[in-house]
Amino acid sequence: DPGGITYGNKQIFRRNSDEDYVAVGDRAEYNCFPGYKMAGSKYLTCTDSGDWDRAKPKCVCKYFKKLSSYCYFASVAFNTYF
């Protein structure tokens, strides 16, 4: 299992749904929460070596300014936050 990501979630798609472990060829799909966009690949695949074919993606603020632990709409011209 490649693990979860901050501000998003992950779902594992197994080629053999009867198995409860990750095997070669199984895929992980990542999605970001509303207000965040993905940096990196949405899909990872388990390889023959037992590693994942790429690094986990990250979810970053999309068209927002990050304040504290949330993303807010930001209007620079009016210096206001929604």
Side-chain angles (χ1 to χ4, degrees):
D1 187 328
I5 56 174
T6 304
Y7 308 119
N9 56 37
K10 169 201 71 189
Q11 185 172 1
I12 299 289
F13 293 94
R14 293 179 174 85
R15 292 172 56 194
N16 183 346
S17 60
D18 293 333
E19 297 172 346
D20 61 351
Y21 56 88
V22 176
V24 172
D26 289 351
R27 291 175 49 148
E29 177 183 338
Y30 289 91
N31 291 290
C32 294
F33 297 149
Y36 293 86
K37 65 180 179 178
M38 189 163 296
S41 179
K42 177 178 184 139
Y43 301 103
L44 280 67
T45 303
C46 184
T47 66
D48 292 337
S49 66
D51 295 319
W52 295 92
D53 64 343
R54 55 185 54 100
K56 293 186 299 186
K58 294 181 180 182
C59 295
V60 296
C61 289
K62 174 182 178 180
Y63 310 117
F64 293 83
K65 180 172 182 161
K66 185 157 171 113
L67 298 173
S68 182
S69 61
Y70 299 98
C71 285
Y72 293 91
F73 284 105
S75 172
V76 176
F78 298 104
N79 198 27
T80 56
Y81 298 94
F82 305 92

